[in-house]
Amino acid sequence: NREDYDAISRYHFKCDSYTLTRGVGINGERFKPVSRERKLELRHEFGIPDNAFVMIFPAMFIGRKHHDKLLEVMRILTEAVSDMYLLLPGEGEILEQVRESAAEFGDHVKFVGHVSNMEDYYAASDIDVTMSRLEGLATHIIEAMSVGLPCVATMMRGHSDIVSDGVNGFLVAPGDTAAFADRVLRLYNDRATLAEFGGHAGATAKKFWVENIIPDYKRLYSEVLGIDDEL
């Protein structure tokens, strides 16, 4: 991410050269928008009402992901609207602890475990969210954006490489649950902006597709290996 890249120079890392890359890339053919009809089919399959507004946060259940803060956001949101849902794919050491904390929301918070069809869960959702305070370059944001989902995320390294505040999502100060809920409600109440942000999100994600970053890696390896022609 850009912050780590800039830190190499700022803190005088002992390396001869360094390059900013766009991560490992994602499969753009796998993660792509679906029709409204397909979205509803998936919602029926996952037990989500047609008119629900669905947030998704795919992540390991570990402390630095701050599921607890996301549940605080959910409390604010459910006091304001009745059709808010949260999908939480993933496993991890604090899963049961988070599950107990989320019991008050009943079926509105869904724990789906480890899944191999993440593209379907993104497609069933409206926005991607994360309150994580430590990331490199969050792949789930890129995957979600490739499907056409805006993202509401904490303002931190890695996230800011992908999310442009007020363009393809919102960036919020870490721990500010009130502001985070406010940004989600903005998208909930303004579906035109939701769609506009989703379009910008899709355009952003393309820059991180494998097919678009492989040429950069080929040039980098050719340079490092001293090969005149690109690999």
Side-chain angles (χ1 to χ4, degrees), residues 14-198:
K14 294 182 178 180
C15 54
D16 295 329
S17 63
Y18 47 95
T19 302
L20 179 65
T21 66
R22 287 174 284 167
V24 298
I26 69 159
N27 182 349
E29 286 301 311
R30 177 183 175 191
F31 299 98
K32 54 188 178 182
V34 301
S35 67
R36 176 64 178 173
E37 291 73 19
R38 178 57 179 158
K39 180 182 285 285
L40 293 181
E41 286 177 4
L42 291 167
R43 289 192 171 188
H44 294 166
E45 181 181 335
F46 301 148
I48 301 170
D50 291 355
N51 64 343
F53 190 85
V54 183
M55 303 181 292
I56 186 169
F57 178 40
M60 292 182 64
F61 283 84
I62 53 178
R64 67 180 177 87
K65 300 295 184 178
H66 286 282
H67 289 84
D68 57 334
K69 291 295 182 182
L70 195 54
L71 292 182
E72 288 181 23
V73 170
M74 190 64 175
R75 290 187 185 97
I76 297 171
L77 293 173
T78 53
E79 289 178 0
V81 297
S82 61
D83 53 352
M84 191 70 60
Y85 281 72
L86 174 62
L87 292 178
L88 295 175
E91 299 176 337
E93 59 190 28
I94 63 169
L95 171 58
E96 292 308 315
Q97 175 184 330
V98 177
R99 194 191 298 273
E100 290 177 8
S101 297
E104 65 185 275
F105 303 109
D107 197 42
H108 284 245
V109 175
K110 292 183 175 293
F111 296 84
V112 300
H114 175 77
V115 296
S116 58
N117 60 330
M118 270 307 309
E119 63 272 23
D120 291 338
Y121 286 91
Y122 291 128
S125 303
D126 292 295
I127 63 172
D128 186 62
V129 293
T130 171
M131 294 207 75
S132 176
R133 295 196 183 201
L134 181 62
E135 294 291 347
L137 194 66
T139 302
H140 76 88
I141 296 179
I142 301 169
E143 292 173 347
M145 284 191 170
S146 192
V147 175
L149 306 189
C151 181
V152 180
T154 42
M155 188 182 301
M156 51 158 288
R157 66 188 183 96
H159 290 171
S160 57
D161 288 55
I162 311 167
V163 181
S164 298
D165 188 52
V167 177
N168 57 15
F170 290 114
L171 291 170
V172 179
D176 192 342
T177 54
F180 200 101
D182 173 76
R183 303 310 188 274
V184 173
L185 286 173
R186 286 192 198 182
L187 296 175
Y188 173 91
N189 289 315
D190 188 346
R191 301 304 169 98
T193 297
L194 177 69
E196 178 186 344
F197 280 19

